[in-house]
Amino acid sequence: MRVGLLGAGFIGTVHAASVFRSDLGTLSAIFDVRVGSATELATTYGAVVATSPEEIIENDDIDAVIIASSTDTHADLLIKTVQAKKPVYCEKPIHLDLARVKEVAEVVRKENGQVFMGFSRRFDQSYADVKERIPQIGNIELVQMITRGPDVPPISYVKVSGGQFRDQTIHFFDMLRWVTGQEPVEVYADGAALVDPAVGEAGDTDTSMLLIKLSGGGFANIDNSRRAAFGYDERIELFGSEGMVYSDRLLTSGVVQYDRAGRHTANAHKSWFDRVEKSFPAAMDRFLQAATNGEKMDPGFEDGVKAQQIAEAAVISLAEHRPVKVEYTI
Ligand SMILES: NC(=O)c1ccc[n+]([C@@H]2O[C@H](COP(=O)([O-])OP(=O)(O)OC[C@H]3O[C@@H](n4cnc5c(N)ncnc54)[C@H](O)[C@@H]3O)[C@@H](O)[C@H]2O)c1
């Protein structure tokens, strides 16, 4: 696959490295409105710098497109790419406004677009192992998911992120659906700006809890913090009628030392990215393989739409202090 990349910021750089290392694709061209970022990445990986998104999307020498640009550009670029009949890896979220998501959905469905959503945690080895063991724990009754830290992002980012649920928790809405094979049906969310008052002034939370009812009758809670003093803390646990399975907090090393002062281990990863870094090349390989073979994309566009509808219910719940049914109407 000859791949074109739109967006050469943080996650675009991660995806460029994944394509470069993959046997399934070649990074051909890069576009970013910040020409310097595109040029730097293109020089590193031997790609061409494009002068517009169309120069990538409409180019017959490009087989697949990655959308890794700022959130507010995804909808337009996604529409153009599926209309050009190219498989596309699209970063979450599709768009912060659900009305716009609906418009994109109409086009994607009409064009039968091959869209892979950037829910890369599905390709984390620990979570894949958890999912494989789910049939052995019987009916799922309780789920706990934790995502904390390491630091509050810059306030400029918080202001355009769509808020903690659409930005941070969205990965766990998707993981909850994927790992349980169930749909969240109702959400109750509460939260506050306990870490940084500026987050509250920007209309967001940095600390929150969600109680979610699942279609199978069980319950999930997700606790989110933008800060953890010791690094990044991410765990999931599923408790069922026949047992329990969990993926614990991963440490940077498995070494344990005992001495007179006690038991010493390595610490948590410094950042969320350090914790899930390996999932990105695995997700990219899956995309490139599906694009090459014309296979169904998984996670696909509909997974992106569903995760956003759960986030939307959480946003309403937080604002109105009440449980909110998740409307899967798009
Ligand atoms: N899946 C994940 O775990 C994950 C992680 C981080 C970010 N993201 C998502 O990826 C997207 C980018 O995030 P980031 O952290 O890389 O941000 P970033 O600000 O580092 O990079 C975004 C880049 O897009 C460029 N850009 C803006 N408009 C553009 C356009 N029309 N065409 C091409 N490029 C354009 C910007 O100049 C910038 O270089 C966001 O939507 C974010 O939610 C996903």
Side-chain angles (χ1 to χ4, degrees):
M1 288 269 121
R2 294 164 299 180
V3 179
L5 173 66
L6 304 173
F10 170 71
I11 209 72
T13 302
V14 172
H15 293 327
S18 297
V19 175
F20 183 74
R21 287 186 201 127
S22 176
D23 297 334
L24 304 169
T26 310
L27 192 60
S28 293
I30 304 175
F31 172 73
D32 192 300
V33 287
R34 290 191 294 207
V35 180
S37 307
T39 306
E40 198 177 313
L41 211 51
T43 307
T44 305
Y45 294 115
V48 168
V49 176
T51 56
S52 71
E54 291 75 20
E55 210 177 293
I56 286 181
I57 294 168
E58 292 162 12
N59 185 340
D60 290 340
D61 293 330
I62 302 275
D63 306 307
V65 174
I66 300 169
I67 300 176
S69 44
S70 318
T71 296
D72 60 348
T73 65
H74 296 180
D76 289 350
L77 298 173
L78 195 48
I79 286 178
K80 284 183 185 158
T81 311
V82 296
Q83 284 176 336
K85 305 280 182 209
K86 294 207 168 131
V88 50
Y89 184 121
C90 183
E91 265 311 336
K92 46 58 60 176
I94 299 162
H95 198 271
L96 292 178
D97 177 2
L98 269 192
R100 184 67 178 139
V101 173
K102 194 168 185 195
E103 288 169 8
V104 179
E106 279 159 15
V107 179
V108 171
R109 287 168 192 158
K110 180 168 168 274
E111 300 289 346
N112 202 12
Q114 256 199 303
V115 182
F116 184 101
M117 283 308 302
F119 290 132
S120 42
R121 270 179 183 70
R122 290 190 184 201
F123 299 87
D124 180 272
Q125 190 58 53
S126 300
Y127 299 141
D129 290 348
V130 164
K131 184 170 170 58
E132 205 176 296
R133 287 162 190 267
I134 291 292
Q136 295 161 38
I137 65 158
N139 298 329
I140 296 166
E141 293 163 357
L142 295 169
V143 182
Q144 295 194 339
M145 293 187 158
I146 288 169
T147 165
R148 299 177 188 154
D151 290 310
V152 175
I155 294 303
S156 56
Y157 176 86
V158 169
K159 284 182 178 160
V160 297
S161 69
Q164 194 175 27
F165 301 146
R166 294 190 188 102
D167 183 56
Q168 180 181 9
T169 327
I170 193 159
H171 285 288
F172 295 83
F173 295 142
D174 178 68
M175 250 214 308
L176 182 60
R177 295 185 55 246
W178 173 71
V179 84
T180 62
Q182 298 185 24
E183 297 297 349
V185 293
E186 191 176 272
V187 179
Y188 179 67
D190 207 346
L194 301 184
V195 181
D196 185 348
V199 172
E201 282 154 27
D204 198 4
T205 59
D206 53 38
T207 311
S208 58
M209 271 212 157
L210 297 104
L211 174 61
I212 297 175
K213 248 187 234 177
L214 295 168
S215 52
F219 300 92
N221 83 42
I222 307 181
D223 89 48
N224 312 261
S225 173
R226 290 289 201 182
R227 177 198 57 201
F230 49 85
Y232 179 65
D233 187 13
E234 180 171 314
R235 287 171 267 162
I236 67 171
E237 176 184 297
L238 294 103
F239 175 85
S241 53
E242 303 299 322
M244 175 171 77
V245 57
Y246 65 87
S247 161
D248 214 342
R249 173 191 308 117
L250 290 190
L251 305 178
T252 52
S253 145
V255 172
V256 180
Q257 178 201 334
Y258 288 81
D259 59 24
R260 286 183 184 82
R263 182 179 190 270
H264 312 275
T265 67
N267 206 345
H269 286 95
K270 281 201 303 293
S271 71
W272 66 266
F273 181 68
D274 290 352
R275 163 64 187 82
V276 296
E277 186 174 3
K278 286 189 188 142
S279 64
F280 287 98
M284 189 55 67
D285 271 350
R286 182 69 204 114
F287 165 69
L288 292 171
Q289 194 172 42
T292 305
N293 302 333
E295 292 164 11
K296 186 173 175 288
M297 293 293 174
D298 186 13
F301 179 76
E302 303 300 334
D303 295 307
V305 173
K306 284 196 169 147
Q308 275 192 244
Q309 290 177 117
I310 302 164
E312 220 49 43
V315 169
I316 297 169
S317 174
L318 178 72
E320 300 182 4
H321 295 288
R322 63 177 178 91
V324 174
K325 296 246 180 295
V326 184
E327 307 274 358
Y328 295 109
T329 50
I330 295 180

